Amino acid sequence: MFTENDRYLWDRSGTNEEVARLERLLSPLAHTPRPLLLRAPAPPRHPRWHRNAIALLATAATLTSVVLGAATYRFTWQDGQPWEGYVSTSGDPAKSVALGPGDVLRTDSDATAVLDIARIGTLTVLPGSVVELVETRTGQHRVELRTGAVRAKVWAPPWHFGISLGSTQVVDLGCEFELRREPGGRAVLRVYSGWVQLHGEVEAVVPAGAVAVVDPERGPGTPFRTGATGALRAALAAVDARSGAVHAAGPEVRSIVAETGPSDAITLVSLLSRYPHLARGPLFEHTHTMLPAGAMPDRARVVAGDTKALAAWWDALPYPAAKRWWLHWRDALDPSPAQASRRDS
Amino acid sequence: MRLVEGMTGPEIAVATGLTHGTVRVYLHEGMRLLRSSLSTTESTGGA
C-alpha cells in the first residue's frame, strides 16, 4: 500500500527525512554531464620531401618571375631611342657619344667607340670605321657597316640585332662576332660564340670558331673553321666563286676531302646544303665518316635538294643549337659602356 | 536512479520504459535492501 512516506520516494511530494538524508548522501555521486572534449583533428602532416618540394616550387616560381621581368625589360626599347656609349682615343679621356637613327659614327685611325646596343649588348667600332645606325626599336636593331670593323656581343633572341653589308645581312642569333668590311665591299665574319646567319643571295650559318667570307657580288661563302688550312680555303673559294658549278669528283672536291677532318663538319654539311649535286661524289661518304649521325642520309634526296635530308647531320654538329641563344648567358654580364663612361667621368 | 541521480518515479518509468507500478515495486524493494545493508553495517561496526 502506498503511504505518505512513499509519496516522497515516488515524486518528492510530502516529506520523508530518511529518503531525503539518503539523497543528500548519495547525490554527489550523480552523473555530471560535461561537454565532450573532442580533439581537433591534427592537420595532415606532409612528409618532409613534400614540404621541401613545395618550398622549391615556390622559390622556382619567384625566380622565374624575376627572370622574366628582367628579360622583358632588357628586350624592350623605345623606337628611335639613341644608343649611348663613348669614344676613346689613345692618350685622351673618353668622350660620351650618342647615336640615333640616321646618325653616322666615324672612328679615327687611333679611336675606338663602344656603344650600348639598346639593352641587349655592345657594339665596338674599331679604328678607321664608318657605321650608321639604321633602325632601333624593340626586337629590331640594325646598323650598316660601310667600312672598317666592328665587334658585337649580343644576348638576345635571334634576329634582334643585325648588320647590313648592302645585299647581305649579318643576323645575330645570340652570340659574339667580329665583322670586317673592306672598301671594295668584301667582308670577313669571324664568330666567337653562338651563331650568326648570313642572309643574301645564298644563305649561310656560321657557328663559334668559324669564319665566312662575304663577296660583294656572290654573297656569303662556305664557312670554315678558324684553323682551316690554306689549301682548304683555296678549294672552298674556288667552289664558291663558281657557285658550286664544279664536278662532284673534281679536283676542288678531292682537295676538300683531303683537307677536312671531324672539326670541319660545318664546312662539309654547308657544302652539301649549298651545292646538293656534290653529294654524287666522295664528299657524301666523307661527310658521313666525319660526322656519324646514325644511318647515312638518303643520297638521292640530298642530291634533289631536300633540305630535310641533311637534318640529322645538322643536328649532329658539335655546337649548341642556334635557337638556344640563352646558353650564352655570360654575354649578358658585361657592363654597359654608357654606364662605365658615366661612372668614370 | 532515485537517490543518486535524483530522478522521480515517473521520470524513471519514462527513462526505463517500465510501468509506474513496476517502478514503485523496485523503489520499495531497493529501499528495503538499502535499509538491510545499512543495518548490517551498523551492527558490525562498519562505516
Side-chain angles (χ1 to χ4, degrees), chain B:
Chain B
M1 296 176 78
R2 172 64 185 85
L3 298 178
V4 176
E5 299 296 336
M7 298 171 69
T8 62
E11 291 172 345
I12 294 170
V14 170
T16 60
L18 299 171
T19 63
H20 285 203
T22 301
V23 173
R24 287 177 192 278
V25 170
Y26 284 167
L27 286 174
H28 272 280
E29 184 64 14
M31 285 301 296
R32 187 184 69 76
L33 291 172
L34 187 58
R35 291 187 188 104
S36 171
S37 176
L38 290 173
S39 299
T40 304
T41 301
E42 287 174 357
S43 65
T44 60

Side-chain angles (χ1 to χ4, degrees), chain A:
Chain A
M1 185 161 179
F2 209 62
T3 66
E4 218 29 63
N5 287 342
D6 293 333
R7 289 189 190 282
Y8 184 81
L9 180 62
W10 174 245
D11 60 7
R12 288 206 187 93
S13 59
T15 59
N16 187 320
E17 183 53 36
E18 179 193 29
V19 176
R21 185 172 66 86
L22 288 171
E23 282 181 318
R24 288 192 295 272
L25 286 173
L26 297 174
S27 63
L29 302 176
H31 168 67
T32 304
R34 285 192 290 265
L36 290 175
L37 295 176
L38 296 175
R39 290 183 62 184
R45 189 163 177 75
H46 298 293
R48 175 170 295 181
W49 69 264
H50 193 192
R51 297 197 298 273
N52 290 341
I54 292 174
L56 282 173
L57 284 173
T59 303
T62 303
L63 288 175
T64 301
S65 299
V66 170
V67 170
L68 288 177
T72 300
Y73 173 75
R74 182 181 178 90
F75 303 143
T76 302
W77 192 253
Q78 186 176 356
D79 190 356
Q81 184 175 344
W83 296 359
E84 296 184 355
Y86 63 87
V87 177
S88 63
T89 305
S90 57
D92 295 332
K95 297 178 183 177
S96 297
V97 66
L99 196 69
D103 292 342
V104 177
L105 176 66
R106 303 172 193 274
T107 54
D108 295 334
S109 59
D110 61 347
T112 299
V114 183
L115 299 167
D116 289 331
I117 304 174
R119 296 192 188 97
I120 64 172
T122 60
L123 181 70
T124 300
V125 184
L126 299 177
S129 303
V130 181
V131 172
E132 177 187 351
L133 178 56
V134 176
E135 179 181 16
T136 182
R137 57 183 170 85
T138 299
Q140 186 86 355
H141 307 283
R142 297 290 184 270
V143 298
E144 179 181 359
L145 175 61
R146 295 183 181 178
T147 189
V150 296
R151 184 157 178 159
K153 195 170 188 179
V154 177
W155 190 79
W159 288 84
H160 276 224
F161 174 70
I163 300 178
S164 173
L165 296 173
S167 60
T168 297
Q169 305 298 315
V170 181
V171 181
D172 166 76
L173 301 180
C175 60
E176 181 178 4
F177 64 91
E178 182 177 288
L179 182 66
R180 292 183 174 273
R181 190 177 188 187
E182 300 167 359
R186 178 180 180 274
V188 178
L189 170 71
R190 191 179 303 269
V191 181
Y192 296 103
S193 77
W195 291 76
V196 173
Q197 181 178 12
L198 294 169
H199 184 69
E201 290 293 325
V202 293
E203 305 230 342
V205 283
V206 187
V211 177
V213 177
V214 181
D215 183 270
E217 302 291 331
R218 294 186 301 274
T222 304
F224 51 89
R225 66 181 173 90
T226 306
T229 65
L232 174 59
R233 299 187 191 196
L236 290 175
V239 173
D240 289 334
R242 298 172 61 179
S243 299
V246 297
H247 196 279
E252 296 87 356
V253 174
R254 291 198 301 272
S255 179
I256 291 172
V257 171
E259 297 291 327
T260 53
S263 59
D264 300 296
I266 185 61
T267 300
L268 299 172
V269 179
S270 295
L271 274 172
L272 291 172
S273 294
R274 295 157 64 93
Y275 315 120
H277 73 282
L278 296 181
R280 293 194 180 99
L283 190 64
F284 187 75
E285 288 84 2
H286 177 67
T287 302
H288 181 66
T289 302
M290 296 297 107
L291 190 64
M296 183 181 292
D298 187 295
R299 183 194 295 262
R301 288 178 59 198
V302 176
V303 172
D306 184 350
T307 55
K308 294 181 181 178
L310 291 172
W313 280 350
W314 278 108
D315 291 340
L317 288 174
Y319 309 100
K323 291 183 180 179
R324 297 179 191 167
W325 55 272
W326 57 83
L327 293 180
H328 307 285
W329 54 269
R330 288 184 177 82
D331 294 341
L333 300 181
D334 287 344
S336 156
Q339 291 175 352
S341 175
R342 285 192 291 270
R343 184 180 62 241
D344 295 339
S345 63

